[in-house]
Amino acid sequence: MTEYVSTTPGLYPLPDWAKDDLSDLKGHQKHDLISGDEGEEITAAYEEAREEVIEVQQDAGLDRIVEGQLRWDDMLAHPLAVADAVETRGIVRYYDNNNFYREPVVQDDLEPTGDIAAELEATAELIDGDDLQAVLPGPYSLADLATDEQYGDDAEFLGAIAEFLEGEVDAFPEHETLFLLEPSLVENAPADGDDERASEAIDRVASATDADVVVQPYWGALEEKVYAHLLDADIDAVGFDFVANQDDNLYNIQEYGAPDDVALGLADGQNTLVEDPEAIRERTEWVEGQLGVTEFETVYLTTNTEPFYLPYGKYVEKLEVLAEAADLAEVKAA
């Protein structure tokens, strides 16, 4: 019987009170963004906000609890932005949306920082036995968002990023699931040869944990060859953004198959319209019905993108919808 797991790709919006408090504490300029050495008052504000978003997930009944990545001012580029070997320069656009991050420029050999492991350790102490989910940028997306002034070769740089993320994962506390977010696989798809290297880099990061690894591309569907190579990686699940592109995602699964586990991005992480749980459940059944395959072992029900684009209240409602939809799907499957 299929297990339906409600979860998210992390990167949550800050609570409104935290936006105000941190704005006063941090300022509004580029140099005020998180660097990994923030002071006690800022640290305390983020800790309080972390506790709040964990409680929100628990109250909603999500099956996987994430840290929320509230400190990630640079979104997916955060792990590099706090690394000693990296200089952050000008502000650049985050893909084609209206968010921006500091350009991380790698200037020395990368070494793991333990920054994300510390966030997860703090989360593990708060979740009361619930299942912890770690979140990281995938190596291809992190390399795509960064500038290399150290390694001098795209393949070598991607390998160095994968090794860097592997080292970060090594320091993580026990976690049930690891989501690797890979929007660049869609937005800036790797060319021939690079697609195979991207899969190998993902495989390397995934191999650093015993947890179930979900690779979550979004903002569309993967090109066929990219998808086929991704299936070669030793991962447990691939995510499909059924909000942005239904037909091509279905085609990939029908043509090339899928792992035993899948993540279905069925709630819109960027639109304030809150879905109905019954509608999410019906979309899940529709996807499964289109495939003509034996049932998946695990189906993760999630937003298609990070929900930090949403107003705080809408993000909370989306979590509640996902949790209820997973419960409805479990009942239906039984």
Side-chain angles (χ1 to χ4, degrees):
M1 187 179 77
T2 300
E3 179 185 11
Y4 295 88
V5 176
S6 54
T7 188
T8 66
L11 281 96
Y12 288 167
L14 278 164
D16 293 336
W17 66 263
K19 286 182 184 175
D20 294 337
D21 288 3
L22 288 165
S23 179
D24 292 339
L25 291 168
K26 292 168 59 182
H28 304 278
Q29 303 302 314
K30 180 177 77 70
H31 61 267
D32 297 319
L33 300 180
I34 287 297
S35 60
D37 58 356
E38 52 269 27
E40 290 183 7
E41 286 185 296
I42 293 174
T43 298
Y46 278 116
E47 287 176 348
E48 186 175 350
R50 177 193 293 131
E51 291 180 21
E52 180 172 323
V53 299
I54 289 171
E55 288 178 4
V56 165
Q57 294 172 82
Q58 292 173 317
D59 290 345
L62 282 188
D63 296 309
R64 296 288 185 274
I65 305 296
V66 300
E67 192 271 337
Q69 294 75 49
L70 303 174
R71 291 173 60 246
W72 293 25
D73 286 333
D74 300 283
M75 293 159 286
L76 295 186
H78 170 85
L80 288 180
V82 297
D84 290 340
V86 176
E87 178 188 7
T88 56
R89 294 184 181 163
I91 298 294
V92 292
R93 186 178 293 275
Y94 184 62
Y95 299 101
D96 63 349
N97 59 49
N98 290 325
N99 293 283
F100 296 85
Y101 68 100
R102 292 170 294 179
E103 179 192 12
V105 182
V106 178
Q107 298 184 313
D108 202 347
D109 288 343
L110 288 166
E111 298 287 344
T113 65
D115 181 274
I116 301 165
E119 291 179 338
L120 290 172
E121 292 280 3
T123 305
E125 294 175 0
L126 297 169
I127 62 175
D128 296 327
D130 289 334
D131 289 334
L132 176 64
Q133 176 174 294
V135 174
L136 274 179
Y140 180 76
S141 294
L142 190 55
D144 180 49
L145 293 171
T147 298
D148 170 38
E149 291 186 353
Q150 175 66 15
Y151 296 94
D153 175 85
D154 288 347
E156 188 175 350
F157 184 50
L158 179 60
I161 293 286
E163 183 178 4
F164 167 73
L165 292 175
E166 181 185 19
E168 299 287 4
V169 174
D170 276 341
F172 285 1
E174 184 176 349
H175 51 288
E176 188 73 15
T177 317
L178 169 64
F179 259 55
L180 292 176
L181 309 186
E182 283 283 21
S184 289
L185 286 178
V186 174
E187 289 288 319
N188 187 21
D192 285 347
D194 295 336
D195 47 13
E196 185 173 1
R197 279 191 288 274
S199 175
E200 291 169 352
I202 289 168
D203 187 276
R204 181 168 186 171
V205 179
S207 298
T209 178
D210 294 329
D212 292 334
V213 177
V214 181
V215 176
Q216 177 91 356
Y218 44 91
W219 290 320
L222 297 174
E223 294 178 1
E224 289 183 53
K225 282 193 64 179
V226 175
Y227 180 69
H229 278 298
L230 179 59
L231 294 182
D232 292 334
D234 186 16
I235 58 177
D236 297 281
V238 173
F240 300 92
D241 180 352
F242 278 103
V243 174
N245 189 324
Q246 179 174 289
D247 293 342
D248 290 342
N249 276 309
L250 273 179
Y251 172 82
N252 281 339
I253 302 175
Q254 291 169 331
E255 188 70 16
Y256 298 98
D260 292 335
D261 303 342
V262 293
L264 302 181
L266 295 171
D268 196 328
Q270 296 180 271
N271 192 311
T272 56
L273 179 65
V274 178
E275 294 83 356
D276 183 90
E278 289 280 359
I280 296 289
R281 180 181 65 84
E282 289 170 4
R283 290 178 203 172
T284 305
E285 292 173 359
W286 181 85
V287 171
E288 293 170 328
Q290 293 293 311
L291 301 181
V293 295
T294 55
E295 64 183 18
F296 294 110
E297 291 182 8
T298 305
V299 173
Y300 297 91
L301 298 183
T302 179
T303 52
N304 62 326
T305 70
E306 321 96 319
F308 71 79
Y309 310 94
L310 298 171
Y312 191 75
K314 295 296 182 183
Y315 131 82
V316 173
E317 291 182 56
K318 296 260 182 179
L319 300 193
E320 294 168 345
V321 164
L322 288 168
E324 187 172 348
D327 289 342
L328 288 169
E330 289 276 15
V331 170
K332 180 74 175 181

